[in-house]
Structure formats: structure tokens, C-alpha cells
Amino acid sequence: MKNFSELGLSEAVAIAIAELGFEKPTPIQSQVIPAMLESAKDLIALAQTGTGKTAAFGIPLVELIDTSAKKPQALVLAPTRELCVQIENDLKAFSAKTKHFYTVAVYGGANIRTQIDQLRKGVQVVVATPGRLIDLLGRRAVDLSQIKYLVLDEADEMLNMGFQEDIDEILSTTPKEKVTWLFSATMPTEIKSISKKYMKSPMEISAGNVNQTNANIEHQYYLVQPKNKYAALKRILDYNPDIYGIIFCRTKAETQEIAEKLIKDGYNADSLHGDLSQMQRDKVMLAFRERTLQMLIATDVAARGIDIDNLTHIINLHLPDDMDFYTHRSGRTARAGKTGISLVLISEKDLYKIKHLERKLQMQFKKMTVPSGIEVCEKQLLNMIHRVHEVEVNEAEIAKYLPVIEKEFADMTKEDVLKKFASLEFNRFLEYYRFAEDLNIGERREVREYATKKGNNDLMFINLGKMDNLGAKELVEMVKQVGNVRPHDIGDIRLKGAYSFFELPANQSQRVVQAFNGFVYRGRRVRVEIQNERQEFPKKKAHKGGSREMKPYKGKRK
Ligand code: AMP
């Protein structure tokens, strides 16, 4: 791969990008930059966000603009406000050492008068969303008659957003003789027809195969029942305490619902959707950009133009109907040479879509298993221990409290302190996850499978029930773990409000009673007993005659 010094850059630009920490050009840059600088030819570049595409066209623009003239010479069209701001900032950075280089970003949702004033002062590069630019053209606030370079960034996104007509209108006001550079992550037929309509035998450059996703992204899928998706999502978030990413939902209503649930459950999450005012949207985006917000929940439309480096995960609660959207979603991680994970929670009926994507994008998904409750607890514990190890001590501030702290711990060994400290957070997760069910399809076993021949069984009573949030699966898991019983030895289960019954082989029942001795669940001391008299499982309705006692067991005796 080439070095920047081999690309024929001016000293001013070379210094500016060195100051940005760019050492080597990315693959798209080493192909596009020389092509743009050397020939005034149209060009189509297949590149996703994160490949360094902004610098691929931004650096040549800084080099090619005539800084002695203060007329718009380049127009960059981009689908969203966020992307415009990003591009303008990048252009300013690349031109930091170039004198008299002026650029402006114009987009909807911001004060148009301020933008008009900026345009009047004289700029050479206009970065715009199509809608706002049409508005400005209508007010004669912008003159595109001297445009020499036109950049269509994220062209496929602009078409997806319905900007085709606006683009046609804008292009009709630009000179025929100009160079057009089109960037797109995917190559749908509509893009091909744009290139036919507006471009002259363009060069085609691609940073990878057409429609292929970035190799630094690991694609994963989790097979779960639709009703378990939220629980699986929480497990994945808990298993990855340092996660920083976007959760994609299908609808606005779903983004809100998931965000509300996550916030209520104590996660650092917020939603981004079309109903937010620009101010609310900016607030959410600022928090996300600054990483004070860990998880952003968004629809495809709302997430357009979010270009944030270092996202660790993209979570797809459903696969999008349009498969190109998957490329766009996953391309928001693994930017600038980093690695990232794009994961899908999928039900059995949609599994074929995974195969379809693998074929279309020429990549492989890795099948994952939703972490078990215990795995989550272990991960959280180790993470907390690691944080304690790494935390920076503010010697000056903590010094005055040390005598009190030391006094408090004086009667404890180092080992005791460590145990207590670790338990503080660990207990919370353990309490929640101890008997959590397995959420993976195929490995989860229905309770009915545990039913076994009643004849050899004892009926067991336990003083926990639905009121303790205990489901049949949790009960099985509890008896398995505490009583050391194999799940298929557990017979029928009846859950009641404050108590429950389950069947156990008679030769294990006594041992299990003892194993539960002293066991505490969610603050309650648990009692397991063998029913003195064999009794049938209680019927749903109370028996006539008013007796609330269960009827004696009438089945065959051993
Ligand atoms: P983009 O694809 O333009 O959105 O760029 C993605 C990220 O890569 C941005 O944060 C850029 O600042 C960064 N970047 C672009 N080119 C390079 C390079 N040659 N070396 C290091 N980082 C780069």
C-alpha cells in the first residue's frame, strides 16, 4: 500500500493530516486520491462509512480548490444533517494549514438565515442536504454556476430517503462541464441509472467486493424465540459491560418501547427516532458521541449519517427487509481499521434470511449461544474486579477518609475485605440470574419433558411460588442446582401463589430436603418438605364442600 507522501499532496495538507494522526492511506484513499488529483474524470467509489471515504474525496478537494476565488467551486451532497456536519468538520481539519479555504454546511432543522449569511461571506465548498439546498436555491442564496466538482456522498442512502427528484433539480443548476464523484456503500440499480444519467464514462473503484461487508466486522446470530428477544438482549448487554453500540428496531414505537424498558431496567440507553425535535435529537447524539450514553436505540432512518468511531456492537433485533440496510447497519461498527460485532437476534422462522445474507454479502455468520445466567454473573464479577484493579486513586482527596476506612476494616483480613467487596455487586447479579432459564432454542427443555412416572415419586412442597417470580423453569433450575437433581428426574410441577409442588423420585426426596436446609432465595428462607400424606396435585377449582385441603393421592402406590 502507498504512503501519503507518494500521493502527491501539498505540504500544507500533508502536515494537516499528519497532525490528525493519519499515518497511511486507507485502501480507498490510496486508490481514489491519486485518481482525483491526476485526472479530471468522473468516478464511482464503492465504500462504506468507516473506510476513510470522507478523506478520500476531502483531501483532493482541499488540493484542487482555487483559494484565490471565493465562489462555490465544489458541492458535496449528503443525506443527513449529521453527515454534513461531519464532512464540513473533516474538510476544516484537512485544510487547517491551507490559507483562504472556506467551506459551509447547510442542512434542514437549523436556522436558514445564519446559513445564508455564511454563504454570502463567500465559500468555496458547499456541503448540503438536498432538501435545504433546494430551499436555498429557491431564495437565490447560493450560486452553483461555477461548480467544478460535485460529490454525491452515501448516494444509495440519498435515494433510499427519496431525494432522487431533489438531486435531479439541483444538478440541473450546475454546469455541464464538471467532475462528479459518487460514493455509495451498495450498488443498487438506481445508482447505476444515476451514473448513466449524470456521469461520463466513470472510473469504478471499490474498497472491497461489491456489496461485501467490512472484513473487520464479526457477524453473529443468536437463535431465540420471539418472546425471549428482550431477555436475550439484556443478557447480551450484561455479558458485555463495556458495550457501546446501536440497537436497530423496525419501528419508532418499538425503539421507544425498548428504550423505556431498558432505562427502567437500569441500562444506560436512549432512543433516536423521527418524532424527536432537532434539539432533543442533538442532545441524545451529543451524549452518545461523548459516550455518556452507552446504547442508542434507533430505526434505520433515524440512524442515518451517524458516523461514530469505536462502536463495539451493532444489535439487530430483526433483520431488515432490504438486505442493503444490513450492510449500512453493520458498517457503523469496525470503522477506521477497528474491529466490531454486528449481531442478530433471530427466530427459527427467519433463519433462512441469515443464509441469504451470507450468500449475498459473501460472508459468514457465527452462531452464538445466549450466555447463561451464571456466565453473566462471572463476567460481571471479573469486570468489576478488573475495574477495581485499574481505577485511578485520587490520593489527595481520599487521604482524609483513609483512617476511618482503615478503622472500619481493622478486624478483617485482606481476604475478607476482597470477598465482601466483590460480593457487593456480584450478589445483585447472582440474585437476578441464579436460576435464569436457558434462552437458546433447541437447548431449552419444556417442563413437560420432566414429567416422569408418578408411581415412584414423592410429592414435594416448597414455600416459593409465583409471588416470588418463580416459573417452572426456574424451579427446575433451582432444584437441579441446590438439590443436585437431574432435571429429567423432576416430575410434574404445580406453581401456586406463595408455594408450589413438584415430584421427585422417592429415593432422592430426603436428600433434597436436607440440601435446601438453610437456603435463602430473594431474602426468603426456603423450606422444602415431603408431603406427609401422599396427595394429588391440587385441582384448579376448589372442591365442593369447602374443604381447601387437597384430596389424598388416589393413584397406585409403589
Ligand atoms: P469515514 O469513512 O470518512 O467516515 O472515516 C472513518 C474514520 O477514519 C474517521 O474517524 C477518520 O478520521 C478516520 N480516518 C480516515 N482516514 C484515515 C487514515 N488514513 N488513517 C487513520 N484514520 C483515518
Side-chain angles (χ1 to χ4, degrees), residues 213 216-223 236 239-240 243 312-319 326 330 333 340-346 351 354 357-358 363-371:
T213 62
N216 287 342
I217 305 172
E218 179 169 320
H219 301 269
Q220 306 178 338
Y221 75 89
Y222 292 80
L223 196 57
I236 292 166
Y239 193 70
N240 293 285
I243 197 165
T312 60
H313 285 72
I314 297 299
I315 299 182
N316 300 273
L317 282 188
H318 317 270
L319 273 180
Y326 182 79
S330 58
T333 184
I341 290 173
S342 170
L343 66 88
V344 185
L345 295 174
I346 198 150
L351 202 54
I354 292 282
L357 265 182
E358 285 182 334
M363 50 76 159
Q364 291 284 303
F365 273 90
K366 200 163 151 191
K367 181 172 191 291
M368 306 296 289
T369 43
V370 181

Side-chain angles (χ1 to χ4, degrees), residues 224-274:
V224 289
Q225 295 202 353
K227 69 172 167 52
N228 285 336
K229 274 197 181 174
Y230 181 70
L233 171 66
K234 284 208 314 188
R235 287 256 181 110
I236 292 166
L237 297 184
D238 287 342
Y239 193 70
N240 293 285
D242 294 325
I243 197 165
Y244 177 42
I246 306 178
I247 301 174
F248 279 96
C249 292
R250 215 176 254 155
T251 61
K252 212 159 51 188
E254 194 186 30
T255 61
Q256 260 169 314
E257 185 198 320
I258 298 286
E260 273 165 25
K261 274 187 175 166
L262 286 176
I263 293 165
K264 197 167 135 262
D265 289 338
Y267 295 86
N268 182 7
D270 210 340
S271 65
L272 195 68
H273 55 77

Side-chain angles (χ1 to χ4, degrees), residues 4 22 24-26 29 48-55 309 335-336:
F4 276 117
F22 292 10
K24 267 183 163 287
T26 65
Q29 289 163 1
Q48 295 166 42
T49 165
T51 53
K53 67 180 169 63
T54 317
D309 291 345
R335 289 161 53 84

Side-chain angles (χ1 to χ4, degrees), residues 520-536:
V520 177
Y521 179 67
R522 299 198 177 184
R524 227 165 117 185
R525 181 170 283 274
V526 178
R527 199 158 41 86
V528 171
E529 291 166 2
I530 306 170
Q531 287 290 290
N532 284 342
E533 214 184 351
R534 279 191 163 273
Q535 288 167 327
E536 197 180 4

